[in-house]
Amino acid sequence: MVKRSFTCLSLALALLAGSAGATFNDITDENLAQAVASLDALSIMQGDGAGNFEPNRSLTRAEFTKLAAASLGVSDATAYQSYTLFPDVLYTHWASGYIAAMMKAPDLAKKQIIRGNPDGTFTPEKPVTYGEACTMLLRMLDYTTADVGPIWPSDYVVKAQSLGLTRGVAAHGENDPITRADAAILLRNTLRTPTKEGEKLYAALSGGTPVENSILLATPETDPSLPAGQLRFYESGEIVNRPAAHALDSALVGARGTVLFDKLAPNKVSSFLPEVSERETYTVQRAERQQIVTEEAGPIPIGRKVQVVVEGELRDYIEAWFDIRQGEKVNLYYDSDHNLELVAVDNAFVSGESYVWGIDPVSIPKGYRIERNGATIQEGDIQKYDVVTLRPSSQTALVSNKRITGLYEDATPSFRFPEKVKVLATEFAVSEKAAPSFDNTELGRKITLLFDANDQVCAALPESELSASMQGIVTATSENQVTVQLFNGPTIQGPIEKAVSDVAVGQMVRLSQDMDGNLRVTEDTRTARNPGDWIVSRGVLGSKPVAPDVQVFERISENGPLYQLDLEDIDNDVIPGKHIETVVTDPSGTVIALILDDVTGESWVWGLVEGASEVTYRIIGTEGEDDYMEIPIYDYKVKITTLVDGEQKTYTIDVVDQVDDLVGKPTPLGLPRAALSNTGEMNLVSKKPIRVGAVTLQAFDGYDSVKTDDGMYPIADDVPVYVSRTGKFITLRQAKADYDAFVLYADMPLSEGGQICLISVA
């Protein structure tokens, strides 16, 4: 039998820690490493075959001509090999084909990129000078002496500098020889510079339309969760995975530039042409809700909506700051106006190796900080079957006890060594390192999956050895389907064993699975007794630490559905213990989930509500016979019309009993926000708004508050404004542009923390 191994992620740091120059041993400068990597992928410049690039070696005129030809798309010069155009470049010379192509190829000859010496020779072995290189590059871009000036080579050097062709190249005299490092930077810059007519030379090197302003986030070597042959990019506000024609050097990861595609397979990436680096890279001391404190530059403010790439996912900073840890490198990207556009955690500093505590032989190195759910713990707090991920770059050990237990339903290509598995009706990818742990499992039996801190499957165990207790919140239902967001695990979606009407969105449940593959959900409630106050800014609840990514839910009534809050929705820094209904902790006592009572007002949606009832009849027996019966079936519904993201929308909710007061009478009401996504019948709770009074336009203090007789009321975000004359909802901004009188409604009195939840205008 194959010995079971639980190690789930390869230690990529050996490859990544020196990512600048990962392909070539003799390159340490990041800018040069990126330029060389892009040209190498395009087969324009290669190394010596022994892992060296020889950056300081001078180039000959023949060598630079070959590089220029390749940059213009001449990948094969054999058609021109038979020409002898210069007496010192016979057709047998290794570069004769490239030299002839530059002078004879129809598209290149008119550019007059190269010329011989006055005596008719070419001197191919003579070192190419800085002035000669600048001249050839400008001619590649269609510039002539008339465009540049008559004094050679001075005018050509000045013009090249003004266009940015020499940016990043060490200062040279006009007649100084250039090195291979100089040539790589010059060619990279030239490929990115528009020709005199405004075209880009790199377009001719791409089999598909190049994608500009892209950021290369990861390769399979820098992020083990990325499938082999895939590359991850950030483009136009989204993360995009693209297939690669071949491996790209990890030195390109983190650069902003242009994606180029293979000539023979236009959907596959052939190279990535970076810009001269404009990003800022810092080492994290700590991340906070509104800033990142760095070792090099101190605190750097980060807006809550700035996009962040961390662990392969794209989120707003307010939803991801707690995943940025001490010692990690972050790249900051700015737009043309120097507004922060993107924060990306350098994948080279994220990868690490994971172990199952108590099973794998592993010890935590001295000096490592140990974290679980963002809280510091001691080694003695780690329990058997916890997954420990070591991050040498930040000297951190991340502990995860995320796990699920369910039926092992399917696997590909082999259930004993899978790439993908289906458990709890949900598909999970399995790394090659984690696959051997499935050797003791069988399809049709229940197994337990262990996840590391990056939410990757790390190992599998038979249920008889370990079973997970799974609690969470129902977040969606559909016909015979349910979705449960686990407190300490992934989100699970699958078929349910009972009617969906018995399961409501917002229920706190315990999840399991029967042997037929159906999910089971049973209601799970727990009441916190004297939990203490939650100090939000300090991250403590009584004496317990609160995880930075704590899940917070709000319940608007005793039996009402739960609604998940964003931490930014909680304005108060102190939530009294009397408002905390339920506390969920991990084994170390860190709070990972909280259920509050109605304290923020965010769990209500306000609008015009009306009820309706429909009656259908079920026929029993035969018409005209004694057994004939018509049994009425009542279907009660409630509709709410409100404003969502500036647009009027109407939602229909199935309810258990008819709400007589609402039939045919649109009424201003608040309904549970979680009810909008519920597909089954539910007992509906509602809340009447308080009429605060009428005010004029001058009473508003911007869009955040309004002055009333009771005091200054805050205004709810995206507050719906009802126009009684048209029967439509509009935004407050639209209303303030057209109306002078406003009737205000609040969710509760100002003294109890109320806010304006609904406004009416004539």
Side-chain angles (χ1 to χ4, degrees):
M1 176 173 291
V2 178
K3 183 178 180 181
R4 182 168 61 185
S5 172
F6 289 90
T7 303
C8 76
L9 290 178
S10 61
L11 186 60
L13 287 172
L15 294 173
L16 303 175
S19 60
T23 296
F24 300 105
N25 302 321
D26 50 358
I27 295 179
T28 57
D29 177 73
E30 180 183 56
N31 188 36
L32 176 60
Q34 291 180 351
V36 170
S38 61
L39 297 177
D40 179 52
L42 291 168
S43 299
I44 293 175
M45 290 190 82
Q46 289 85 33
D48 62 1
N52 298 309
F53 181 73
E54 300 179 296
N56 298 319
R57 180 171 67 80
S58 296
L59 276 174
T60 66
R61 283 166 52 86
E63 289 173 327
F64 194 78
T65 300
K66 186 267 183 184
L67 297 179
S71 298
L72 292 170
V74 180
S75 57
D76 184 0
T78 54
Y80 298 92
Q81 188 72 41
S82 60
Y83 287 93
T84 296
L85 301 179
F86 299 98
D88 53 351
V89 185
L90 301 179
Y91 73 91
T92 55
H93 190 281
W94 71 268
S96 64
Y98 293 102
I99 294 171
M102 294 288 270
M103 301 189 70
K104 291 290 186 180
D107 293 337
L108 303 184
K110 61 184 180 182
K111 295 176 180 284
Q112 297 186 329
I113 297 170
I114 63 171
R115 298 172 184 173
N117 300 312
D119 63 359
T121 63
F122 186 74
T123 54
E125 308 308 322
K126 179 183 176 181
V128 65
T129 67
Y130 187 54
E132 289 172 334
C134 289
T135 301
M136 293 178 65
L137 297 176
L138 286 169
R139 289 172 178 167
M140 289 167 61
L141 296 174
D142 298 328
Y143 287 93
T144 65
T145 299
D147 303 312
V148 177
I151 303 176
W152 186 90
S154 299
D155 287 346
Y156 279 85
V157 171
V158 171
K159 184 66 173 179
Q161 291 172 340
S162 70
L163 292 176
L165 301 187
T166 63
R167 185 179 182 184
V169 178
H172 284 286
E174 298 169 353
N175 298 313
D176 291 342
I178 67 168
T179 64
R180 283 171 54 81
D182 296 330
I185 299 294
L186 288 168
L187 288 169
R188 189 273 310 276
N189 294 346
T190 303
L191 288 175
R192 295 203 59 86
T193 302
T195 65
K196 188 173 69 172
E197 289 76 24
E199 300 175 350
K200 296 286 183 68
L201 292 182
Y202 61 64
L205 303 177
S206 182
T209 303
V211 179
E212 298 180 340
N213 199 30
S214 177
I215 297 174
L216 178 58
L217 295 175
T219 70
E221 288 71 33
T222 66
D223 187 347
S225 68
L226 194 62
Q230 293 284 313
L231 303 170
R232 181 180 296 135
F233 298 91
Y234 173 84
E235 298 169 1
S236 301
E238 297 181 351
I239 290 181
V240 179
N241 285 359
R242 299 184 184 278
H246 47 73
L248 289 189
D249 187 349
S250 60
L252 293 168
V253 172
R256 187 196 294 267
T258 301
V259 181
L260 303 180
F261 296 92
D262 190 71
K263 288 281 191 178
L264 300 179
N267 68 316
K268 294 186 176 182
V269 177
S270 64
S271 186
F272 184 74
L273 190 63
E275 302 172 2
V276 176
S277 179
E278 294 289 352
R279 75 182 190 273
E280 299 174 2
T281 302
Y282 299 104
T283 306
V284 176
Q285 282 189 340
R286 66 182 182 277
E288 300 174 351
R289 281 190 174 85
Q290 297 177 334
Q291 63 184 5
I292 295 176
V293 181
T294 67
E295 293 182 2
E296 298 86 354
I300 298 176
I302 311 290
R304 64 171 65 179
K305 292 297 183 182
V306 171
Q307 292 190 304
V308 178
V309 179
V310 59
E311 297 177 0
E313 295 185 2
L314 184 67
R315 304 173 189 164
D316 290 342
Y317 181 75
I318 191 65
E319 298 174 345
W321 65 270
F322 41 77
D323 287 325
I324 303 174
R325 294 180 167 85
Q326 180 181 355
E328 292 179 339
K329 298 287 185 179
V330 290
N331 294 317
L332 275 57
Y333 300 88
Y334 295 85
D335 62 18
S336 57
D337 296 323
H338 204 67
N339 296 314
L340 184 59
E341 177 185 4
L342 180 73
V343 177
V345 177
D346 193 333
N347 285 285
F349 296 87
V350 171
S351 302
E353 194 164 7
S354 297
Y355 307 88
V356 178
W357 194 258
I359 302 296
D360 288 332
V362 59
S363 61
I364 297 177
K366 185 178 180 180
Y368 271 49
R369 188 179 68 259
I370 306 174
E371 286 187 9
R372 181 194 277 125
N373 293 316
T376 300
I377 63 173
Q378 302 301 314
E379 184 171 326
D381 296 322
I382 307 175
Q383 299 183 352
K384 186 177 181 180
Y385 302 118
D386 283 351
V387 178
V388 178
T389 303
L390 299 179
R391 289 186 174 176
S393 59
S394 59
Q395 292 196 318
T396 305
L398 300 179
V399 180
S400 168
N401 67 339
K402 297 178 182 179
R403 61 192 64 157
I404 61 171
T405 297
L407 195 66
Y408 192 1
E409 301 171 60
D410 199 6
T412 56
S414 162
F415 77 85
R416 291 196 184 279
F417 199 87
E419 295 177 359
K420 293 182 179 180
V421 297
K422 188 176 183 182
V423 178
L424 283 178
T426 304
E427 192 173 82
F428 299 96
V430 179
S431 70
E432 188 169 345
K433 294 294 183 180
S437 70
F438 286 80
D439 188 53
N440 286 351
T441 64
E442 294 183 22
L443 288 179
R445 299 288 184 90
K446 287 190 175 182
I447 63 173
T448 297
L449 299 183
L450 308 182
F451 297 85
D452 66 13
N454 299 318
D455 292 326
Q456 304 296 314
V457 175
C458 187
L461 298 165
E463 183 193 27
S464 58
E465 185 171 343
L466 180 67
S467 180
S469 176
M470 298 174 292
Q471 298 164 290
I473 301 292
V474 177
T475 58
T477 61
S478 58
E479 186 176 357
N480 298 322
Q481 291 276 323
V482 66
T483 303
V484 178
Q485 177 182 317
L486 296 176
F487 290 139
N488 203 26
T491 297
I492 302 297
Q493 179 180 7
I496 191 171
E497 66 170 357
K498 56 184 177 180
V500 73
S501 60
D502 295 334
V503 180
V505 169
Q507 273 187 310
M508 181 174 173
V509 297
R510 190 176 297 273
L511 181 67
S512 61
Q513 188 177 25
D514 64 23
M515 297 306 294
D516 294 324
N518 295 313
L519 300 181
R520 291 175 176 171
V521 290
T522 54
E523 190 168 3
D524 183 32
T525 58
R526 61 174 74 181
T527 302
R529 295 183 178 179
N530 301 319
D533 295 343
W534 177 22
I535 314 299
V536 179
S537 61
R538 290 174 50 196
V540 294
L541 174 62
S543 61
K544 294 182 174 64
V546 177
D549 56 348
V550 61
Q551 299 177 56
V552 184
F553 301 86
E554 195 170 53
R555 191 193 301 277
I556 59 178
S557 65
E558 183 177 353
N559 297 314
L562 298 176
Y563 176 73
Q564 186 164 14
L565 300 172
D566 292 329
L567 286 177
E568 62 185 283
D569 294 332
I570 303 174
D571 295 327
N572 298 333
D573 187 47
V574 179
I575 304 297
K578 65 181 181 180
H579 291 306
I580 300 174
E581 175 187 319
T582 300
V583 177
V584 180
T585 61
D586 68 12
S588 64
T590 300
V591 178
I592 60 174
L594 288 168
I595 297 177
L596 312 179
D597 61 20
D598 187 13
V599 294
T600 69
E602 295 294 330
S603 299
W604 294 94
V605 59
W606 297 88
L608 286 185
V609 181
E610 59 182 310
S613 61
E614 300 176 3
V615 181
T616 58
Y617 293 90
R618 187 174 60 171
I619 306 300
I620 297 178
T622 305
E623 187 172 2
E625 301 293 333
D626 292 339
D627 61 351
Y628 177 81
M629 294 179 61
E630 293 184 4
I631 300 177
I633 301 174
Y634 297 94
D635 187 12
Y636 305 120
K637 298 180 184 299
V638 166
K639 291 184 178 181
I640 180 170
T641 302
T642 186
L643 200 69
V644 177
D645 295 330
E647 296 183 7
Q648 179 174 302
K649 291 189 177 181
T650 299
Y651 298 88
T652 301
I653 304 165
D654 287 329
V655 296
V656 175
D657 296 313
Q658 180 174 340
V659 184
D660 294 328
D661 293 342
L662 295 179
V663 176
K665 300 178 182 178
T667 304
L669 276 182
L671 299 182
R673 194 175 294 274
L676 302 185
S677 58
N678 193 64
T679 56
E681 290 184 351
M682 65 179 300
N683 289 301
L684 192 67
V685 295
S686 61
K687 188 175 185 179
K688 290 184 178 181
I690 301 170
R691 190 181 188 279
V692 174
V695 299
T696 63
L697 182 61
Q698 288 70 32
F700 288 91
D701 183 10
Y703 297 92
D704 297 326
S705 58
V706 59
K707 186 177 181 180
T708 72
D709 292 339
D710 297 330
M712 191 67 75
Y713 258 102
I715 301 174
D717 294 338
D718 204 16
V719 61
V721 180
Y722 179 67
V723 184
S724 57
R725 184 176 302 174
T726 63
K728 301 292 185 181
F729 280 96
I730 60 176
T731 66
L732 180 55
R733 183 175 294 276
Q734 293 170 319
K736 290 175 71 174
D738 294 324
Y739 297 91
D740 296 313
F742 305 81
V743 178
L744 308 177
Y745 295 87
D747 57 355
M748 62 182 69
L750 182 60
S751 60
E752 298 177 15
Q755 61 180 352
I756 301 302
C757 61
L758 189 65
I759 299 176
S760 174
V761 296

